Structures are given as C-alpha cells and as structure tokens.
Amino acid sequence: MKLALKANDVKNFRKILGFILLIRKQCIFKFDKELLSIYSLDKELPMACASIGRVNFLRFDVIAKDDLIGFEINVEPLFQILRNYEKSPSTSDLVIKLQRGEDEPVTGNGNGNQATNTNKKRAVFLALSYNEDITIRTEIFHSFSIPVNLLRRNILDSISTPPLRNVEIVMDLNRMLNPFFGRIERYRNTESLNLVVNRLGEMKVELEDGEKKISIKWKNLLDNCRPEDVDTQAQNQADDKDPNDLDMIKEIAVKVRSRWWNIVSRLLEFGETLQMYIYANGCAFTCNPDDEQSCTLIYYLPGKLLVFD
C-alpha cells in the first residue's frame, strides 16, 4: 500500500477542511486513482461531503489493492498545517505520505517469560513535510505526523455521498445574500428557524425571538428550478415568472436549527454561486470552491419539511 501526494497550492484543500471543522473534527478520507473524497457523517448532526480531484496535486499516487485507500483522521491538525504552509515563505512543495510506525515487540507474556513471534500492531500516520526560508542562507525543514485509523474495504464501500430524495425545489444563492445572512445571525440564540421559499424566487426566514415573531425577507427574486429540471438546468428566470400563478407562489418551508443554518454563509465565501436543495430531510447546499469543477463541497442541513394547508 502506498499513498504519496505533492502540492504547492493547498487553498481549496484548506478551505474545505476549514468549513468541515465548523461541524466536527473526525472525518473519513477515501482515495482512489482520480479523487480524494472526504466524508463528515453523523446521524444527529449536519453532514458534509467533499471531493478534490487529482488535478489539484502535483503528485497523486494511490497504490493499493483495488486502487482504494481510506482512513479516519482528525482534520484539525491537518488544517493547521495547510494554513501554516500557505503563510510560510516555503521553498518546496508540501509532501504528504501515508507511513507506518516502527514495530514494537512485546517484551513479556505476563509470566515473566520473553514472548516470541508477537508484535503490537504498528500505528499508521499521515506524514507531511516542507521547507521554509528563514534567511537567505537558512531554511527549516518542517515535518509532522498525524495518526490515522485505516479502514477495511467493506467499510469504505459502505461510505458514500447521501442521495437527495424527494427534492421540492433547487435555488441559486450568491454572495449578494451576505447581508441577508448577517441579519439572521443577529438572532443566533434562537433554537430554530423556518426557511420559506416559493417558485417565484422569493425567500424569507421566520423565527421567534422571545415573544417577538420576526420575518426577514430577501427583496430580490432568486433563480430556481423544479427537481425534474435539475439536469437540464431549465431554471425559472425572473422575467418568466407569473406572480398570479398559484403554483409559483405556493410556499415551501423547512424547519432547521439556527446554529447550523448560520454557517451556510461561510459557503458563500467559496465561489460565486451556491445551489440550495430543499428536500424531505431538510436542506442541502452544493458549491465549487472558486468555481473550479475539480472540487466540490456538499453541506447537508437536517430539518423538517413543513406542510401548509
């Protein structure tokens, strides 16, 4: 088994890990010949899935049975290393390898006798290294080791991006919505909020702050499409919408936790556009960091679809 990566631009990698850390630290990395897939999965909390294509690396060697390597890792130290590498005046590429620790023989069998032919299981680490300029004549070699837990093939096969079923509507969000999210974040202490949209392209958030009921509405219309039009991108443009059409103004609402809704604004920092899916289990958001198709991030926000009479 061999995993060897090399990169000199880690911005997308770092940005993806930075967002995932808003949810949790433990993730699963799955490497195949073309892709690094990252999974942050949980039955109770929000989930995030990301993919980073091999074109983001100068070297991307994945050698294993069935060309698949996977492990569980705490991404917090990895994020810090990537961030420090970006800030440093480095003179080399960042090298990332999967390594095993040294054998540790068992020295006894509990009866005072020497054990034979028995070794402890060797630990596995993700090793990272790079050089940093200090002065014209001096440089420092940085090396780090992050412990990982290798996963068997049957476990890796069971891990995949959750499907979106029973999608009600798909809407395009963009950075112009930052003030809208900013107003909602003022009420961060509220337990939950209702996101309400329609096919006309209107969007608002309803919440309760103490005894006050508050409604925050985005004044512009958002491009959207029906679930069956996702593949063809047959969007409802602003000039195609009839405000008298009852189907267009029918409200679609989902109840979500305020805490997890508020980090959606961080996704708007990734690229120009962000797609929001409202479906049976809540909301999902997909984006491509800096609009590069070689990287994708999906954020699953659990919620309850509300039905109005």
Side-chain angles (χ1 to χ4, degrees):
M1 178 188 297
K2 177 182 178 181
L3 175 66
L5 313 175
K6 186 181 291 186
N8 58 18
D9 183 356
V10 298
K11 181 175 67 174
N12 288 334
F13 197 179
R14 186 261 307 164
K15 289 170 70 174
I16 286 173
L17 294 187
F19 180 82
I20 290 175
L21 276 171
L22 296 174
I23 308 171
R24 69 177 62 82
K25 297 178 182 180
Q26 291 298 123
C27 290
I28 292 172
F29 281 18
K30 184 161 69 171
F31 293 86
D32 61 28
K33 282 291 188 180
E34 302 296 328
L35 203 65
L36 161 59
S37 299
I38 303 173
Y39 301 93
S40 176
L41 306 176
D42 193 285
K43 292 182 179 180
E44 302 296 331
L45 299 178
M47 300 183 293
C49 299
S51 62
I52 305 174
R54 66 177 299 153
V55 297
N56 292 273
F57 299 88
L58 301 174
R59 180 183 180 185
F60 195 85
D61 293 345
V62 179
I63 302 174
K65 185 178 181 180
D66 301 320
D67 297 325
L68 187 65
I69 298 175
F71 50 80
E72 186 177 12
I73 182 174
N74 180 343
V75 297
E76 186 173 39
L78 177 56
F79 170 77
Q80 295 294 342
I81 294 168
L82 296 180
R83 187 167 64 174
N84 291 339
Y85 175 75
E86 279 189 302
K87 293 180 178 179
S88 69
S90 57
T91 58
S92 70
D93 300 323
L94 177 66
V95 176
I96 305 174
K97 295 181 178 180
L98 195 63
Q99 294 183 345
R100 288 189 180 273
E102 298 295 329
D103 286 338
E104 297 183 18
V106 177
T107 57
N109 59 11
N111 297 318
N113 300 321
Q114 186 74 20
T116 57
N117 299 325
T118 304
N119 290 315
K120 291 183 179 180
K121 186 177 182 180
R122 289 189 297 171
V124 182
F125 300 90
L126 193 67
L128 301 95
S129 62
Y130 64 90
N131 294 328
E132 178 185 357
D133 273 346
I134 301 301
T135 66
I136 296 177
R137 297 182 178 180
T138 307
E139 68 177 13
I140 294 179
F141 176 70
H142 294 278
S143 63
F144 312 88
S145 294
I146 305 173
V148 302
N149 179 29
L150 287 179
L151 299 176
R152 296 182 181 275
R153 177 60 190 262
N154 62 325
I155 297 177
L156 293 175
D157 287 342
S158 68
I159 300 170
S160 61
T161 302
L164 298 174
R165 295 190 175 94
N166 302 319
V167 176
E168 294 288 333
I169 192 171
V170 184
M171 305 193 80
D172 287 343
L173 312 183
N174 56 57
R175 290 174 179 171
M176 293 180 63
L177 285 157
N178 278 323
F180 176 76
F181 281 95
R183 290 183 62 195
I184 299 169
E185 287 179 6
R186 297 176 188 174
Y187 306 97
R188 66 186 65 185
N189 292 328
T190 58
E191 180 69 18
S192 62
L193 57 82
N194 293 343
L195 173 66
V196 185
V197 302
N198 60 27
R199 293 191 173 90
L200 196 61
E202 296 176 320
M203 180 172 70
K204 64 181 178 180
V205 163
E206 298 174 339
L207 52 85
E208 294 184 7
D209 182 28
E211 296 182 354
K212 294 188 300 182
K213 292 185 177 181
I214 298 170
S215 178
I216 302 172
K217 184 176 182 180
W218 180 245
K219 292 183 178 181
N220 297 326
L221 300 181
L222 301 172
D223 291 337
N224 64 91
C225 61
R226 297 173 182 271
E228 58 268 24
D229 296 330
V230 171
D231 293 333
T232 61
Q233 293 298 300
Q235 293 179 324
N236 292 322
Q237 303 294 334
D239 53 2
D240 296 331
K241 299 171 183 176
D242 180 3
N244 297 316
D245 187 336
L246 295 179
D247 183 57
M248 298 292 282
I249 63 175
K250 180 181 178 182
E251 291 186 337
I252 302 168
V254 61
K255 183 176 183 178
V256 298
R257 292 281 299 274
S258 299
R259 173 188 176 186
W260 301 119
W261 165 264
N262 286 330
I263 68 173
V264 174
S265 61
R266 296 288 297 272
L267 290 174
L268 294 174
E269 302 172 6
F270 278 41
E272 291 296 328
T273 59
L274 170 68
Q275 281 196 318
M276 175 177 69
Y277 296 74
I278 295 180
Y279 69 116
N281 295 326
C283 303
F285 303 84
T286 66
C287 65
N288 302 101
D290 292 329
D291 294 327
E292 294 183 14
Q293 299 302 311
S294 62
C295 296
T296 301
L297 176 60
I298 308 175
Y299 173 50
Y300 297 85
L301 175 57
K304 179 181 180 182
L305 201 63
L306 303 178
V307 179
F308 298 115
D309 293 332

